[in-house]
Amino acid sequence: MQTLALFDLDNTLLTGDSEVLWADFLVSRGLLGDCFAQRNADMDRRYHAGEAAPGEFCEFFASTFEGRSPAEWSPTRAAFMNEVISPRIPDAARELVQQHRDRGDLLVLTSATSRFLVELTAGELGFEHVIATELEVLANGRFAGRTRDVLNMREGKVMRLRNWLAARDDTTDGVDAQLARAFFYSDSINDLPLLLVVGQPVVVDPDARLAVEAQQRHWPVLRLARGLPSSSS
């Protein structure tokens, strides 16, 4: 069996948070009001402090897509990817993913961010498998501005991963056995539930609360060389 190599995206492989950056990008393009910028910053702070409930966090950013179809958003998403996201993926993160690819591991990107927003990033990093928060699409083909199903966040990441593994047709090993061998890379205390169930947790540039957990549990801590172009937002 292949070894699972699970990766969080925001503030782990990516320097920054995809949805926070997306909202800022929309404000800069006049697609969201200026007052949204302060609300965005406050949500980012509360999320990383563990003060924002998963539903509140995800619904806040899901609302930015409301009223347009995926096809209508695609040009803006492509520009966002090229101008904001690509420069924020450090070479060290690309190399880390490549190390596991060279080992023949099964690579999975698991993110609390919506699938629509992260799938281009996943493609650039070479991930075939993505588990992410899903957005509701109405009968008219437009985003409802809401999430659907189980959020891929906190305990939801564990549930969604277990369901994904159980559904794989080529699985010959039990889910628990796969998790016992799995790597998971994350920066956030919000990912503690999944870090606790894998056999090889690795924290990457951890937030303050996860750094304490890592020290107490003797987990390895990885620091990635990061650098941003001066023009990055």
Side-chain angles (χ1 to χ4, degrees):
M1 285 296 299
Q2 288 178 290
T3 296
L4 275 172
L6 308 164
F7 295 84
D8 176 52
L9 176 61
D10 299 325
N11 294 301
T12 301
L13 296 178
L14 177 70
T15 303
D17 184 289
S18 300
E19 290 179 315
V20 174
L21 292 167
W22 169 252
D24 283 343
F25 184 71
L26 296 184
V27 170
S28 72
R29 292 212 160 190
L31 297 173
L32 289 175
D34 290 342
C35 64
F36 198 93
Q38 182 55 49
R39 293 172 58 203
N40 185 30
D42 183 61
M43 179 59 71
D44 185 38
R45 178 194 63 76
R46 292 177 57 227
Y47 171 68
H48 288 100
E51 298 170 0
E56 180 187 8
F57 177 82
C58 292
E59 296 299 326
F60 177 80
F61 290 107
S63 71
T64 65
F65 295 94
E66 184 176 4
R68 296 189 185 188
S69 69
E72 289 170 328
W73 274 120
S74 286
T76 304
R77 182 181 65 162
F80 172 67
M81 180 69 200
N82 292 333
E83 297 173 25
V84 179
I85 296 297
S86 289
R88 288 177 171 267
I89 304 174
D91 289 342
R94 298 177 189 271
E95 291 164 4
L96 176 62
V97 175
Q98 187 61 44
Q99 287 171 16
H100 282 277
R101 182 176 293 111
D102 291 343
R103 284 166 42 107
D105 294 341
L106 180 62
L107 305 182
V108 180
L109 185 69
T110 176
S111 176
T113 296
S114 69
R115 177 181 299 275
F116 181 74
L117 200 56
V118 304
E119 59 190 1
L120 292 184
T121 313
E124 178 159 330
L125 286 166
F127 283 94
E128 180 181 356
H129 304 292
V130 179
I131 306 174
T133 294
E134 304 291 347
L135 298 177
E136 180 181 349
V137 178
L138 300 173
N140 62 10
R142 299 178 186 274
F143 285 117
R146 300 185 296 270
T147 62
R148 64 175 178 84
D149 303 329
V150 176
L151 302 176
N152 197 50
M153 186 176 179
R154 298 184 186 172
E155 292 80 4
K157 267 195 179 180
V158 179
M159 181 184 303
R160 293 280 305 278
L161 176 61
R162 284 185 173 276
N163 291 343
W164 183 81
L165 289 170
R168 282 177 58 80
D169 293 335
D170 59 349
T171 296
T172 58
D173 206 354
V175 170
D176 288 338
Q178 292 177 75
L179 292 175
R181 297 192 303 269
F183 290 86
F184 178 42
Y185 294 87
S186 179
D187 72 291
S188 175
I189 191 64
N190 289 292
D191 281 334
L192 184 60
L194 185 50
L195 287 163
L196 288 171
V197 301
V198 299
Q200 303 187 75
V202 183
V203 300
V204 181
D205 297 319
D207 61 35
R209 291 193 297 157
L210 185 57
V212 171
E213 290 282 349
Q215 183 177 31
Q216 293 175 344
R217 298 177 185 277
H218 306 289
W219 287 343
V221 177
L222 184 62
R223 304 285 179 180
L224 296 185
R226 299 180 188 269
L228 293 175
S230 59
S231 60
S232 293
S233 61

